[in-house]
Amino acid sequence: GSWLLLMPCWWSAALAAGVAHDVSQLPLVIALFFIGAFVMRGAGCTWNDITDRDLDAKVERTRSRPLPAGQVSVKQALGFLVLLALIGLAVLLQFNRFAVITGIASLLIVAIYPFMKRITWWPQVVLGLAFSWGALMGFAVILGRIDLTALVLYAGSIAWVIGYDTIYAHQDAEDDALIGVKSTARLFGARTHLALAVFYSLAVVLIGVALVLGGARWPEWIGLIAFAAHLAWQIRRLDISDPALCRRIFYSNRDAGLLLFAGLLVDAVMR
């Protein structure tokens, strides 16, 4: 999960550096995003576990989490959440003012996400809004602005998140049905492969448009082709009745994201 939160950050930073024809900031930004993504994913998971502790106790895969298992108290979890948030703030404050404001703005989406599965069949969209925020942050940090290129990259990342989190949600589809939790996995059901084809195709097309707007050259296109091939492999390989396989394919999205990042990074350095 931390890697998946990090990928749009790294994509955006590399693409923005290429647009700027300046990679001098890129190593530090990559390192800070790495720390920030792992810390803030931890904070987000802690918040999610606090709000979902009663639901998690009813689901086989999640009942062993620290809160429903009674390993930590809610007070201890809140203390851990504050600690992680302060570390994340320390990382964020290394950037320019516009980037700081942009980063803080994401907290509202993070705060409401855990409640979405109770009220909509599309909680994965809200997760996409949160997990793709890094697609805006790279431009905010490197260029001090969010332009059309960043927004299209953000939209493409959201489509990617909807796809891979649908795969993830299939691990719990039966338990979710019993306790009344909504998800795109339950919504799509037997049509999941078709839905994934739609959302993954949309992700590739929108990211491709972002690359065009950002003046991409051949390394970025090779990265995008490799990314698209990996997504196609996921759809072909997926068996929604096999939770262990769903988990492995979900994890593999880190590799898909790294393939795209490699192309973006090479192009930025070449420019």
Side-chain angles (χ1 to χ4, degrees), residues 19 22 45 55 57 69-70 74 77 81 87-88 95 102 120 127 163 182 217 240 249 260 271:
V19 170
D22 180 6
C45 283
L55 292 177
V74 173
L81 172 61
I87 297 172
F95 302 136
T102 302
T120 176
L127 183 71
K182 300 179 174 67
R217 297 188 301 182
I240 61 173
I249 292 176
L260 177 57
R271 289 205 232 183

Side-chain angles (χ1 to χ4, degrees), residues 149-208:
T149 305
L151 292 172
V152 176
L153 182 65
Y154 181 53
S157 181
I158 291 170
W160 178 51
V161 174
I162 294 170
Y164 72 59
D165 200 60
T166 297
I167 295 173
Y168 181 84
H170 269 293
Q171 295 178 94
D172 304 324
E174 291 184 6
D175 285 335
D176 287 349
L178 291 173
I179 63 178
V181 169
K182 300 179 174 67
S183 72
T184 49
R186 290 187 59 207
L187 177 66
F188 299 148
R191 299 171 296 173
T192 292
H193 286 79
L194 175 60
L196 288 178
V198 171
F199 283 107
Y200 277 170
S201 296
L202 185 60
V204 171
V205 169
L206 287 170
I207 294 171

Side-chain angles (χ1 to χ4, degrees), residues 98-109:
F98 179 73
V100 171
I101 294 171
T102 302
I104 292 173
S106 68
L107 295 179
L108 176 62
I109 302 172

